[in-house]
Amino acid sequence: MDDSRTPPDQAASGTGSDAASASPQAPQPSTTSAGDSNTDPNLNGPLPLRPGHELPFVAPSSYLRPKPSSRTMSDKTSNPLDKDQMQGLRGVREFLKVRTSYDVLPLSFRLVILDNDLLIRKSLNILIQNGIVSAPLWDSRNGTFAGLLTSTDYINVIQYYCQFPHEIDQVDQFRLSSLRDIERAIGVPPLETVAVHPMRPLYEACRRMLKTRARRIPLIDTDDETGRETVVSVITQYRILKFIAVNNEQHTMLLKKPVREIGLGTYTDLATATMNSSVLDVIHLMVKYNISAVPIVDKDNRVLNLFEAVDVIPCIKGGAYDELTATVGDALSQRAENFGGIYTCSEEDRLDTIFETIRKSRVHRLIVVDDDSRLKGIISLSDILKYVLLYGEEEDDLQEY
């Protein structure tokens, strides 16, 4: 994301667009209004939905999953489903080993790189103006890659402000090069700076992302003669999974086990909030549980929305840290008009249908709900990537993760 005053040496931009992703096609269950009430919009006397609160829910099974057929005991004993599942996983892994990280990039794309000397508050404006949520950092003094700016860094700045409120003037003058100092001040372990060469196997990039718990990874090329680094692009878990879904359907279609059966996702100790919770309360939940999204529910635990780490960015635009006391409902109303909504599935949905949904839509996580839209669990893209790469691998491999 970039401001109209992009500093010199900081930006390689190319025009273009992301790979196309289809709009959700499934019927949309109703949502409730921003308050704590359970009012159903389809009943008489509904409360009007506030902007940003009416989001589509997409259940992959509603248009992709066939009715399960009954199986005899002999069928279960032979376990052809297990055999197909492992064949599909092995096929995806072999695919990732013969394709490079560079292959994942769309034909045209835009890349915004921020100079490490830029003020943090200015970087916020740049991200918002360019409609992005992260950017590579560049150390122009040394001519080297300096890390990746993400919403986690802004959450760290908020924690610093909460711990040292009397230093608000100093916070306003922090530069991107100060991010590591902020981490040390609030006692947060520094994130490992990880990058891969664009021509290395994609499988290698995926393994490194899982090991460091990174959701995106920069592609860095190095000139053989001068040793000078060049930031080629950044690939995300979503981009990788979409690449698999589009180009390896013959193997993803074999992944027919229900997500709960294969242990995909988190179903216990789920952090939740309401529309009336403050943004700061939700940020504290993210920090406490080391998560990047919090489901927003009503008093009956029905899912209304989802507050994500990236939703923090517009809340502190221009250094407006006092606005963090605003409600989640108010914050979500600031989302862009083209926001794609949140996606749901059931515990009986299969991984092949989820890959199909990722192929058609821009999915970053799925909320697992029951037939009444009550929260059951949450599936992150990290969960999917970890299962695809590591399920059935040797125990020694699994211990790394």
Side-chain angles (χ1 to χ4, degrees), residues 110-124:
R110 175 182 58 182
L111 178 65
V112 176
I113 303 175
L114 303 183
D115 192 284
N116 216 17
D117 201 41
L118 185 69
L119 289 172
I120 291 177
R121 60 182 173 82
K122 287 189 176 181
S123 72
L124 274 167

Side-chain angles (χ1 to χ4, degrees), residues 260 264-270 272 295 297 301-303 345-348 366-379:
R260 189 63 192 266
L264 193 66
T266 302
Y267 298 86
T268 59
D269 298 325
L270 296 172
T272 63
V297 299
N301 208 36
R302 290 189 178 92
V303 177
C345 67
S346 78
E347 294 179 272
E348 297 306 313
L366 293 110
I367 308 300
V368 185
V369 297
D370 64 14
D371 291 339
D372 294 318
S373 294
R374 289 187 176 88
L375 177 67
K376 302 295 290 184
I378 186 165
I379 299 173

Side-chain angles (χ1 to χ4, degrees), residues 76-124:
K76 293 179 182 179
T77 303
S78 61
N79 240 340
L81 200 56
D82 283 342
K83 189 175 180 181
D84 285 349
Q85 192 88 357
M86 285 310 303
Q87 181 182 341
L89 292 174
R90 283 193 293 268
V92 172
R93 290 166 191 167
E94 288 305 313
F95 171 78
L96 293 173
K97 290 175 182 177
V98 299
R99 304 303 292 265
T100 69
S101 295
Y102 189 82
D103 294 335
V104 178
L105 301 180
L107 293 178
S108 62
F109 59 91
R110 175 182 58 182
L111 178 65
V112 176
I113 303 175
L114 303 183
D115 192 284
N116 216 17
D117 201 41
L118 185 69
L119 289 172
I120 291 177
R121 60 182 173 82
K122 287 189 176 181
S123 72
L124 274 167

Side-chain angles (χ1 to χ4, degrees), residues 246-260:
V246 169
N247 298 284
N248 204 237
E249 187 178 2
Q250 71 270 30
H251 289 117
T252 60
M253 67 185 295
L254 298 175
L255 307 176
K256 297 185 180 298
K257 281 193 167 185
V259 295
R260 189 63 192 266

